[in-house]
Amino acid sequence: MRSVHVVLVAGILLAGCSPADPGDGHPAAHAAAAVPDRPLDLCQLMPLADVAGVLQANGADTVTEQKAGPGGMCSYLHVPRPGDYRAKLLIDFTRMPSAGQAQAALAMQRRDFADRGTAVTAIPGLGDEAFVAETEGNEGLKLRVGPYVGQINLGIEGRPPASLRPAVQALGRQVVGRLR
């Protein structure tokens, strides 16, 4: 019986497969499969001090708190008083399997905005492609850098979204520089 197991395992390995499929419930297989596709840690990539400096340099208030979210996304807030969120910023990027899939994902986002009647403005020279859109009081930048597709959304109480565009684009340039 032992020789049958050795032959089966050797045959599986020679075929280029692993005996444990990541989807079959084996925790070790999940851990090994997750390492190459580990999500970005945007809070580490874009530390609070760097983000606050970019916002202040571009006339867009500041942020004083940073919170990691699911999948590596990062939220930044300015809370001058408990429960009073003056500034809200979200940075979220995902690494797609290929640049082509990232391009398709960004095209789908652009179509979604168009379907909702939201105008988008192309931002040439930022990453491989980028556009901004105003939604729900926020200035949102959607962009692609190679296989990465992501967003930077900024809202500041009492500020029109378009006034936040320089800060959002400056953050976009910083993210692009760090992803390349």
Side-chain angles (χ1 to χ4, degrees), residues 20-157:
D21 175 31
D24 70 358
H26 294 324
H30 286 288
V35 171
D37 296 330
R38 185 178 6 194
L40 288 171
D41 180 348
L42 273 302
C43 288
Q44 183 177 11
L45 184 71
M46 299 292 291
L48 179 62
D50 292 358
V51 170
V54 168
L55 291 175
Q56 291 168 6
N58 288 280
D61 205 342
T62 191
V63 288
T64 55
E65 297 179 23
Q66 179 182 45
K67 296 181 182 184
M73 79 172 73
C74 195
S75 297
Y76 305 82
L77 305 166
H78 177 85
V79 187
R81 294 178 303 277
D84 178 19
Y85 296 100
R86 178 163 166 76
K88 298 177 188 177
L89 170 68
L90 171 73
I91 301 176
D92 186 17
F93 279 78
T94 301
R95 187 177 200 291
M96 305 296 282
S98 71
Q101 288 178 336
Q103 185 176 22
L106 192 63
M108 184 177 1
Q109 288 181 14
R110 186 183 301 260
R111 278 192 306 275
D112 286 346
F113 280 113
D115 290 348
R116 290 184 275 157
T118 303
V120 300
T121 304
I123 306 296
L126 185 56
D128 294 321
E129 60 182 310
F131 66 87
V132 290
E134 296 176 18
T135 58
E136 301 173 9
N138 293 312
E139 181 72 4
L141 172 68
K142 312 300 183 204
L143 63 113
R144 180 178 67 84
V145 180
Y148 294 98
V149 65
Q151 62 182 339
I152 299 172
N153 296 321
L154 176 61
I156 297 178
E157 182 182 301

